[in-house]
Amino acid sequence: MYLVLLIQQYLYLALGFVALGIEVWALTDCVRRPGTAFEAAFKRTKGFWLALTAGAVVVGLLSTLSSRGGFNLFQLVAIIAACVYLADVKPAVSQTSGRGGSSGPYGPW
């Protein structure tokens, strides 16, 4: 029984570090983007997304490095906020700032 709990604790720790990596990725991407690109893409302001992704990183750090461990509700909200930025805001802002990568005949790919 103790072995199962130990495996579960290490699994939650690994998931916490993966989530923390995603949150840091979202924050660093948000910092690099120009503020005008957010308004041009009709998204919220850069300050809003900076606060949201920075808060997600702080929650991820506190949740991952806490002595209790586990994947709690706050950590779930933090990873969802970072994923919303990466899945919705980042592509839209990339297209407006000209950093979208290669363009094919039907748009960026």
Side-chain angles (χ1 to χ4, degrees), residues 13-66:
L13 185 64
L15 287 174
F17 279 118
V18 168
L20 183 61
I22 292 171
E23 293 156 1
V24 168
W25 176 26
L27 178 63
T28 56
D29 185 78
C30 186
V31 167
R32 290 186 357 207
R33 303 286 174 186
T36 56
F38 288 86
E39 286 107 25
F42 300 107
K43 299 297 177 185
R44 293 212 177 224
T45 63
K46 180 177 181 173
F48 173 81
W49 287 108
L50 275 175
L52 198 66
T53 54
V57 169
V58 169
V59 168
L61 270 173
L62 292 176
S63 298
T64 302
L65 301 178
S66 72

Side-chain angles (χ1 to χ4, degrees), residues 78-103:
I79 189 64
I80 288 172
C83 287
V84 164
Y85 174 81
L86 290 173
D88 181 43
V89 178
K90 181 181 182 286
V93 172
S94 294
Q95 287 180 350
T96 60
S97 63
R99 299 172 84 180
S102 300
S103 285

